[in-house]
Amino acid sequence: MHPFVLERPRDLSAALSFGAQAGRNDAPVEYIAGGTDMVQLLQEYVRRPDRLVSLAGVLDDGIEIGPQGLRLGAAATMAEVAAHQAVVEHFPLISQALLNSASPQVRNQATMGGNLLQRTRCPYFRDVGYEACNKRVPGSGCAALDGENRWHAVLGTSDDCIAVHPSDLAVALVALDASVELRGTGGDRSVPLSDLHRLPRDTPHLEAVLEPGEVITAITVPATAAGLRSHYLKVRDRASFEFAVVSAAVAIETDGARIRQARVALGGVGTKPWRLPNVETALAGADFEPAVLRQAAALAAEGTRGRGHNDFKIELMQRAIVRAVEIAGARA
Amino acid sequence: MSDSQGTSTASSDITRRELMQAAAVIGGAVLGEQLVPGAISPALAQAAGAATAPLDVSLRINGTEHRLSLDPRTTLLDALREHLHLTGSKKGCGLGQCGACTVLMDGMRVKACLSLAALAQGRDIKTIEGLAQGEELHPLQASFIERDAFQCGYCTSGQIMAGVACISEGHAGSPQEIREWMSGNLCRCGAYDHIVAAIQDAAAVSSSTQEG
């Protein structure tokens, strides 16, 4: 690891004062919370901050449900949220996405805020032996464009980066219209989860909209997303402890044998968690006829761009949507 | 050199551990230069070797408080192995993928290689060395022996610590459930069938003890 000074502030305002910058790779000061992603990146010299500011003990770890909906403190662990009775009962999509993520050990350590800000698993980003990675070294190129790109994105890509956002949690949350609460030295603000991550465009090293010093303090999920029939379908290369090749988060409201309203988001295919409003519109009013579902899911292919090894994802993600809608619809 | 009576001269007062440490340091530097060309610049390698101000860290391991002075980069796993000489927790990948370093923190299983030691202060840490009650093995340690749940043994302490948690969490109800909830621990020898059987056995002992 690159040498760093470790700050262990007593409270959140002290932590904010260091001006740590989450979500960009060239920041000299960074936060560490659960550390499961950060320590890997430090070990591999992918991140080389001069100063690390620990968020241990200074962030809310509560899980609350009320008339407004669900509020997850940023320091709540993946395991705590996945097992929480109110989450399991009213927002099972979140629990499912979490239980399909990482391993039991990592879920005991990793936090909600850190999960959303974890870095891509693109092997060219994670291995400093490759020189070309615009996300790691701005302007150095992208080795994935013509490289081993089976795991890479087909939505939201640019000519500078095709790395996938790896979080399952974020996919479930974006389908449920969640927001994140941010706190900085200048005050608090709330940002829809769909706006938290940036598209790579020509600045893939800037991943999130956080300002220097800002931290995620909580995730909020509106009550309107509670109680929907939902399913998180994750397609991966091994049965457990693996990132998604393609995942689909679906939540539907039914009216007899028809879908009244649908929410659909995809993981494993986008440079950020990817919501599909066009598919949702097509599903509204549809019955569960396979041909109808397939037609709606086909709209997910709009704007996709494969790079060779990952071309199969464009078909696979449509099938994942259909399967997830069918499973969600079959739930009591 | 040792003489035939097994006594040693002053020059041989270097332990096997110190020799291994020295070899690892030298070997690592060479590997860093040769096998990853362009990966780590000389300036970076120099910076990485530079001393950073040590931190006073107090760690509670198996019920005993230890005061250490540690480089901030020290992981909990390295603190256990290199500073406290508790070498039961193993370093496999060092990147959170294999689970050989699994320990319990406040009763929950975590990967010690992904925790900075300085941030584990104030937590209650249990390692494989703290599992047995004196000479009496933990039921899962006994069932690992009974079921022959290992070959080379390198992953075993991590498997056992994860298995203890798997049982206490209530995730040992079926072979399928055990496999899912033990997915954070890899075994390159492929002793999985026996590991699952050992956990089932110990879970049965645990539930009968609770019922009794």
Side-chain angles (χ1 to χ4, degrees):
Chain A
M1 294 185 215
H2 184 78
F4 55 78
V5 174
L6 182 65
E7 303 288 355
R8 293 177 283 181
R10 285 172 182 277
D11 54 38
L12 186 53
S13 63
L16 299 180
S17 68
F18 291 103
Q21 172 82 72
R24 64 180 292 170
N25 215 56
D26 53 355
V29 188
E30 304 203 48
Y31 288 117
I32 182 168
T36 54
D37 191 28
M38 176 61 86
V39 174
Q40 284 184 60
L41 295 165
L42 293 170
Q43 292 274 29
E44 300 279 74
Y45 289 92
V46 177
R47 292 176 111 171
R48 303 194 285 254
D50 298 321
R51 194 176 292 268
L52 265 188
V53 181
S54 170
L55 293 170
V58 306
L59 282 174
D60 179 18
D61 63 358
I63 301 167
E64 293 159 30
I65 191 157
Q68 300 297 311
L70 179 68
R71 187 176 189 282
L72 306 171
T77 65
M78 293 171 73
E80 287 164 352
V81 174
H84 195 275
Q85 196 53 41
V87 178
V88 173
E89 239 172 72
H90 303 289
F91 300 94
L93 192 63
I94 295 173
S95 183
Q96 271 183 28
L98 288 168
L99 290 178
N100 279 290
S101 302
S103 66
Q105 288 97 322
V106 169
R107 295 198 295 266
N108 280 338
Q109 293 167 275
T111 64
M112 289 293 101
N115 181 288
L116 298 181
L117 294 172
Q118 67 179 300
R119 311 303 292 278
T120 182
R121 263 59 193 178
C122 174
Y124 301 107
F125 170 77
R126 296 243 162 196
D127 186 343
V128 296
Y130 292 100
E131 283 180 17
C133 176
N134 288 321
K135 199 180 266 303
R136 180 159 41 77
V137 184
S140 63
C142 174
L145 293 178
D146 299 310
E148 290 284 335
N149 52 36
R150 179 175 179 273
W151 303 275
H152 291 74
V154 294
L155 284 164
T157 61
S158 75
D159 289 337
D160 289 314
C161 186
I162 57 171
V164 161
H165 192 272
S167 168
D168 291 294
L169 171 68
V171 177
L173 289 176
V174 83
L176 299 177
D177 284 330
S179 295
V180 287
E181 292 177 3
L182 306 180
R183 178 169 298 170
T185 48
D188 295 353
R189 60 176 176 141
S190 177
V191 173
L193 194 68
S194 52
D195 295 338
L196 175 67
H197 302 97
R198 299 167 185 264
L199 286 172
R201 299 201 170 94
D202 58 356
T203 52
H205 64 294
L206 306 178
E207 294 189 0
V209 298
L210 294 148
E211 299 290 337
E214 266 188 327
V215 292
I216 297 174
T217 52
I219 296 166
T220 56
V221 188
T224 49
L228 298 170
R229 297 180 179 199
S230 65
H231 187 67
Y232 192 80
L233 180 77
K234 186 169 179 178
V235 182
R236 44 186 164 175
D237 288 339
R238 56 181 178 185
S240 186
F241 194 14
E242 183 58 280
F243 289 93
V245 170
V246 168
S247 68
V250 165
I252 56 177
E253 192 186 335
T254 52
D255 180 7
R258 286 186 181 279
I259 297 166
R260 182 181 295 171
Q261 183 219 113
R263 298 143 176 271
V264 180
L266 293 175
V269 294
T271 51
K272 55 185 270 184
W274 206 265
R275 185 92 183 251
L276 289 163
N278 52 352
V279 176
E280 294 175 1
T281 305
L283 285 172
D287 56 25
F288 288 92
E289 275 301 314
V292 175
L293 298 183
R294 274 201 299 272
Q295 204 175 358
L299 297 173
E302 279 179 11
T304 53
R305 181 171 180 193
R307 295 276 180 174
H309 299 135
N310 63 355
D311 291 347
F312 73 99
K313 286 188 177 183
I314 297 169
E315 173 66 26
L316 183 58
M317 68 195 209
Q318 297 172 42
R319 297 185 188 193
I321 293 168
V322 171
R323 178 72 61 84
V325 171
E326 286 174 343
I327 295 172
R331 285 189 196 278
Chain B
M1 297 295 112
S2 301
D3 64 22
S4 58
Q5 273 75 50
T7 57
S8 59
T9 65
S11 64
S12 73
D13 276 354
I14 178 166
T15 65
R16 183 170 167 274
R17 175 171 306 286
E18 284 161 349
L19 188 66
M20 295 293 280
Q21 280 173 341
V25 168
I26 296 161
V30 172
L31 288 179
E33 286 298 316
Q34 291 185 344
L35 292 186
V36 199
I40 297 166
S41 69
L44 184 61
Q46 196 176 13
T52 48
L55 295 171
D56 288 329
V57 178
S58 183
L59 292 177
R60 191 160 63 251
I61 316 289
N62 301 326
T64 305
E65 205 76 34
H66 300 271
R67 298 194 66 80
L68 298 168
S69 178
L70 298 174
D71 184 305
R73 293 171 289 184
T74 312
T75 62
L76 174 58
L77 178 61
D78 286 341
L80 292 172
R81 290 181 54 83
E82 309 298 333
H83 296 265
L84 296 169
H85 307 305
L86 293 167
T87 55
S89 308
K90 297 291 187 264
K91 184 183 266 190
C93 65
L95 294 170
Q97 292 161 6
C98 75
C101 65
T102 301
V103 300
L104 304 184
M105 195 181 276
D106 296 335
M108 290 181 299
R109 48 178 154 165
V110 300
K111 292 184 174 174
C113 75
L114 295 183
S115 304
L116 292 179
L119 300 181
Q121 182 161 289
R123 314 292 292 270
D124 195 21
I125 293 151
K126 184 178 259 191
T127 71
I128 189 79
E129 289 89 348
L131 207 53
Q133 302 282 329
E135 292 299 303
E136 191 188 342
L137 294 180
H138 183 280
L140 189 57
Q141 288 175 307
S143 63
F144 259 65
I145 294 168
E146 180 66 27
R147 288 286 188 167
D148 204 10
F150 47 83
Q151 288 180 46
C152 82
Y154 198 79
C155 73
T156 305
S157 45
Q159 297 278 4
I160 289 175
M161 297 311 286
V164 167
C166 182
I167 293 167
S168 69
E169 291 162 6
H171 291 135
S174 69
Q176 192 185 9
E177 188 182 21
I178 292 169
R179 283 174 187 276
E180 169 60 32
W181 286 86
M182 288 295 290
S183 67
N185 293 76
L186 305 184
C187 168
R188 281 172 44 145
C189 303
Y192 294 112
D193 286 349
H194 294 203
I195 292 169
V196 170
I199 292 173
Q200 276 189 290
D201 287 356
V205 170
S206 161
S207 65
S208 69
T209 309
Q210 277 165 16
E211 282 160 19

